[in-house]
């Protein structure tokens, strides 16, 4: 009985620890803005409402991907609501410039609720990467 309880307790603790957001290392000299208009979540270039939208989108993506994400963001107002463009950082080069792996677009309502997440096709991602440099 005690062995079963101990095993169950260890399993519960392991599950609880795995749901915490892991820390992401971001170089202190990483640029605040890339592609001329993609910024970090708490950049002063975003309004409070835009930061709230970005925060809601990030939390949704972290829950669905089961881990922390490192990204730059852009917010655009559309006739449906808002688009939060999420540019995922896969690593940093020697000059602390971000290297982008992928991106997605989170469609949101005014109240920060998620309408849907659009993932580009692989060929579209490659075309986007070839279109310009990673930093502006």
């Amino acid at each position: 009985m005690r062995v079963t309880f101990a095993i169950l307790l260890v399993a519960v603790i392991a599950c609880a620890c795995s749901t915490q957001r892991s820390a992401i290392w971001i170089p202190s000299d990483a640029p605040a803005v890339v592609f001329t208009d993609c910024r970090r979540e708490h950049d002063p270039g975003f309004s409070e409402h835009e930061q709230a939208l970005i925060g809601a989108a990030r939390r949704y993506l972290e829950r669905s991907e089961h881990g922390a994400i490192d990204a730059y963001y852009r917010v655009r107002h559309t006739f449906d609501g808002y688009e939060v463009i999420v540019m995922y950082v896969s690593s940093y080069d020697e000059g602390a410039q971000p290297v982008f792996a992928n991106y997605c677009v989170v469609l949101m309502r005014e109240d920060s609720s998620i309408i849907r997440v659009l993932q580009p096709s692989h060929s579209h991602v490659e075309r986007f990467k070839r279109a310009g440099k990673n930093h502006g």
Side-chain angles (χ1 to χ4, degrees):
M1 176 75 173
R2 288 184 182 179
V3 172
T4 304
F5 179 73
I7 292 171
L8 182 62
L9 182 61
V10 168
V12 168
I13 291 171
C15 289
C17 291
S18 67
T19 61
Q20 293 181 359
R21 184 175 175 195
S22 61
I24 295 175
W25 179 79
I26 299 172
S28 60
D29 54 346
V33 179
V34 295
F35 297 120
T36 69
D37 58 357
C38 292
R39 305 170 186 283
R40 292 292 187 177
E41 178 178 354
H42 298 291
D43 188 277
F46 289 124
S47 69
E48 285 184 37
H49 184 248
E50 289 172 329
Q51 288 182 22
L53 291 167
I54 292 167
R58 179 189 44 77
R59 286 187 297 278
Y60 176 84
L61 293 170
E62 287 179 340
R63 276 193 307 271
S64 64
E65 296 175 16
H66 305 289
I69 62 172
D70 182 8
Y72 285 79
Y73 304 89
R74 179 177 180 208
V75 178
R76 292 192 310 193
H77 189 268
T78 67
F79 64 92
D80 286 331
Y82 290 90
E83 291 180 347
V84 176
I85 298 145
V86 182
M87 301 290 300
Y88 293 95
V89 176
S90 61
S91 63
Y92 294 88
D93 68 14
E94 299 81 30
Q97 294 297 319
V99 177
F100 295 98
N102 205 349
Y103 75 97
C104 71
V105 179
V106 182
L107 302 177
M108 305 181 79
R109 292 184 183 91
E110 181 79 26
D111 65 357
S112 298
S113 60
I114 308 289
I115 298 171
R116 70 179 188 205
V117 177
L118 304 172
Q119 300 284 348
S121 67
H122 182 70
S123 61
H124 189 203
V125 171
E126 292 304 315
R127 190 168 46 247
F128 184 83
K129 286 180 181 177
R130 287 191 305 263
K133 295 180 180 179
N134 283 346
H135 53 284

